[in-house]
Amino acid sequence: MLPLFGQLLHHRWLHIGMGVKRWLLLLMVGITAISIGAVYFLHDLYRIWASSPTGYYLTLQFLPRSVRGVLLGILGLALVFLAIYKLSRSLLAAFIRPGQEDIAEVVYRYRRREHGPKVVAIGGGTGLSILLRGLKAHTSNLTAVVTVADDGGSSGDLRRELGVLPPGDIRNCLGALADDEALITKLFQYRFNQGAGLDGHAFGNLFIVAMAGVTGDFERAVLESSRVLAVQGRILPSTLEQVVLSADLREDTGQLGRVEGESQIPAARLPIERVFLEPYNARAYPGAIQAILEADLICIGPGSLYTSVLPNLLVEDITNALRAARAPRIYICNVATQLGETEGYDLGDHLAALRFHGTAGCFTHVLANDNLTIPTPPDWPISLVPPVYSSETGYNIVTADVIDLVNPWRHDPHKLAQALMTIYEETSC
């Protein structure tokens, strides 16, 4: 009883922007109006009762008026609080789970996120979902622009067999932005290990493809999936076209060899000369362009440089929108190198690869990790990316400790989000 009653007395209810105080005031005005009306009615009734022996005691005539006023006030307050408690118990019981934090705190954070900046996150893979997981604590005005070049695993199989856009990266974003993140992520990442036609498929991929069949198109499927899962934000493909990511690789002989397919590029384990999309003139999804132009903050990465980040930037409409955007545009460099893509790269090498692929003018800031003290296994096949770069990059380079201490090849979502929001606040002043 007391924990639930305490929900009503939490100081957060009185915080600006909660949308509660105005209705409390209206409730008080209504109760006051009812009370005044009751006083007029009871005044005449009181004059009749007070002249009878029964009325003498019912109206407490034997007590001074000040004492009667205090007693009736206490009784009224007790009845009001009892009524509110009973009402709140009925309404809030469906939302409060054992051990859950105060509902007022939940509402407060929801309202704060509701008024947060419009943030667009561009990328794919695990890096994008990590970024979204951190950002959703600061704002619910999130838009994820996701690559659709994936052709490996379950996503690739569904793409080839059913002709749908690859759902894997979108699945990861849905899990990261879902209201019940832990459960939805676990459910969506679940892979069937048996069954004809099911073996190897992730449940989340099948869910999105099934939704596409129900709604009639992939775009609508992502929208409805977001609504069903109470996703905080939007998830948009960078393009609706069936693009193929290809690469020119530097072979041991020094000659260039061409590889087709996003999954085949890192598997070749050869230095990447360049990557490109086919068709090269794929049109961007209009909603993604609009989101970029209206954003308060734009984040590019983290994620696999050649197979998650660049596939979005190779859509010419996306890069043109980035150049036209007025918001701070931050490239987030990976904290560790990646086998088959960025082995031996430092920060400067990442930036050089981006410039080589025509991204000049797309970024205003670069965020890199500067905590290189984390011990790594001696046989680790990858290394931490040192924040080494040329002084003539043309970008505002920001370094911070954004590494995950448990998984040092990844960003810590909360550290990363805080560093990004710090840049946003400094540039908004």
Side-chain angles (χ1 to χ4, degrees):
M1 173 176 174
L2 289 177
L4 187 59
F5 187 67
Q7 303 279 357
L8 301 169
L9 301 179
H10 200 291
H11 70 279
R12 288 296 192 194
W13 291 122
L14 302 179
H15 196 277
I16 296 175
M18 290 287 282
V20 173
K21 297 186 297 298
R22 70 196 72 170
W23 307 120
L24 288 176
L25 179 61
L26 185 62
L27 175 63
M28 293 173 61
V29 171
I31 293 175
T32 302
I34 293 174
S35 301
I36 293 174
V39 167
Y40 285 129
F41 172 76
L42 293 175
H43 180 266
D44 292 338
L45 191 61
Y46 171 79
R47 293 171 64 183
I48 299 174
W49 279 2
S51 61
S52 65
T54 303
Y56 177 81
Y57 292 101
L58 287 177
T59 56
L60 306 177
Q61 293 294 313
F62 52 89
L63 295 175
R65 287 190 177 184
S66 58
V67 176
R68 279 180 273 169
V70 171
L71 291 176
L72 289 173
I74 293 174
L75 176 62
L77 285 174
L79 292 176
V80 167
F81 277 108
L82 178 62
I84 292 178
Y85 165 70
K86 290 294 185 180
L87 178 62
S88 66
R89 186 174 186 180
S90 299
L91 295 178
L92 300 181
F95 303 97
I96 302 175
R97 303 170 187 169
Q100 184 178 345
E101 60 189 331
D102 292 332
I103 193 70
E105 190 68 30
V106 174
V107 174
Y108 167 74
R109 287 209 316 272
Y110 171 79
R111 291 297 189 188
R112 188 188 65 174
R113 292 194 303 265
E114 194 177 45
H115 294 90
K118 297 178 182 177
V119 181
V120 172
I122 303 174
T126 304
L128 181 58
S129 59
I130 288 175
L131 171 63
L132 295 174
R133 191 171 294 117
L135 285 175
K136 75 176 186 179
H138 298 269
T139 179
S140 58
N141 298 313
L142 286 169
T143 300
V145 177
V146 187
T147 175
V148 290
D150 188 9
D151 70 343
S154 171
S155 290
D157 292 340
L158 293 170
R159 180 179 182 177
R160 287 184 288 271
E161 294 173 11
L162 302 178
V164 297
L165 292 175
D169 288 343
I170 292 175
R171 174 199 76 215
N172 291 334
C173 293
L174 285 171
L177 292 177
D179 188 40
D180 194 342
E181 177 192 330
L183 179 61
I184 295 300
T185 297
K186 187 175 182 179
L187 175 64
F188 269 33
Q189 299 289 18
Y190 175 80
R191 290 188 181 272
F192 297 92
N193 55 17
Q194 60 183 351
L198 291 177
D199 190 16
H201 281 298
F203 172 78
N205 290 348
L206 299 178
F207 177 90
I208 296 171
V209 171
M211 187 68 79
V214 170
T215 60
D217 64 73
F218 191 84
E219 176 187 356
R220 185 70 180 174
V222 176
L223 178 63
E224 291 300 322
S225 298
S226 300
R227 184 182 62 82
V228 169
L229 299 173
V231 162
Q232 298 179 36
R234 298 183 299 165
I235 302 169
L236 308 175
S238 57
T239 177
L240 291 177
E241 298 189 30
Q242 290 281 0
V243 294
V244 176
L245 184 68
S246 301
D248 289 335
L249 308 179
R250 183 69 62 181
E251 298 180 349
D252 296 336
T253 60
Q255 301 295 316
L256 291 179
R258 181 157 295 182
V259 173
E260 290 188 359
E262 175 269 339
S263 61
Q264 300 303 313
I265 296 173
R269 296 295 299 276
L270 292 172
I272 298 173
E273 192 74 13
R274 73 178 183 113
V275 292
F276 55 95
L277 289 179
E278 296 177 313
Y280 73 92
N281 59 347
R283 292 171 298 177
Y285 179 60
I289 299 299
Q290 182 179 2
I292 290 172
L293 295 177
E294 295 177 352
D296 299 315
L297 175 67
I298 301 171
C299 306
I300 301 95
S304 302
L305 175 61
Y306 290 103
T307 55
S308 290
V309 175
L310 276 171
N312 295 293
L313 303 179
L314 292 173
V315 179
E316 188 175 358
D317 294 338
I318 296 290
T319 53
N320 288 338
L322 286 172
R323 293 187 183 101
R326 296 182 178 181
R329 305 177 300 280
I330 307 172
Y331 168 65
I332 306 166
C333 185
N334 287 348
V335 298
T337 60
Q338 184 173 355
L339 294 177
E341 290 203 32
T342 56
E343 293 172 82
Y345 276 34
D346 58 21
L347 174 58
D349 295 322
H350 283 80
L351 299 180
L354 289 168
R355 282 195 303 272
F356 180 79
H357 285 84
T359 63
C362 290
F363 318 123
T364 58
H365 295 72
V366 173
L367 176 61
N369 172 62
D370 61 8
N371 183 359
L372 305 180
T373 62
I374 298 178
T376 57
D379 57 346
W380 218 32
I382 58 179
S383 60
L384 298 180
V385 175
V388 177
Y389 56 92
S390 168
S391 59
E392 300 178 354
T393 62
Y395 303 119
N396 293 309
I397 308 294
V398 179
T399 62
D401 177 6
V402 292
I403 199 169
D404 187 330
L405 300 180
V406 178
N407 303 305
W409 58 92
R410 292 179 177 172
H411 285 84
D412 180 286
H414 305 294
K415 289 181 182 179
L416 177 58
Q418 187 57 58
L420 291 169
M421 296 309 296
T422 298
I423 297 174
Y424 166 72
E425 290 167 0
E426 290 176 350
T427 55
S428 299
C429 294

